[in-house]
Amino acid sequence: DIISSVGINTALKIGEAVSVTIITAVNSSSNYVSSVAIDGRTTGITTNWVGGDAPTDGGSSGVDIYTFNVLKTADNTFVVVANQSKTS
């Protein structure tokens, strides 16, 4: 869930974007991020994963890095370009 103290919808104007990077160190292929919520909402979000599909596993060693570029296109409406990088 991507949130801020005032809310992403409140913080961004239409046409503005924010980039969020999340680094996990769970060392498990069964733990991974496969969906995006903004301000606790899963509606109004179009997520485009780099490579075409949401992840189906995490890295079994090292850290995984997720990058989310969030563009506000209308009130409570966002386009997200998401990427997962698995490291070893």
Side-chain angles (χ1 to χ4, degrees):
D1 192 3
I2 300 171
I3 59 174
S4 76
S5 60
V6 297
I8 299 298
N9 189 58
T10 301
L12 294 179
K13 295 177 185 174
I14 294 172
E16 290 185 333
V18 63
S19 294
V20 178
T21 300
I22 298 170
I23 301 172
T24 65
V26 295
N27 298 322
S28 170
S29 60
S30 60
N31 295 309
Y32 55 93
V33 175
S34 61
S35 63
V36 177
I38 296 174
D39 294 336
R41 300 168 44 103
T42 57
T43 58
I45 303 168
T46 301
T47 304
N48 300 294
W49 285 91
V50 172
D53 297 313
T56 56
D57 65 355
S60 58
S61 62
V63 298
D64 296 338
I65 303 165
Y66 297 88
T67 305
F68 303 96
N69 295 295
V70 180
L71 172 66
K72 182 176 178 177
T73 58
D75 186 41
N76 281 311
T77 307
F78 303 90
V79 172
V80 178
V81 177
N83 188 51
Q84 175 200 46
S85 299
K86 294 187 272 187
T87 66
S88 58

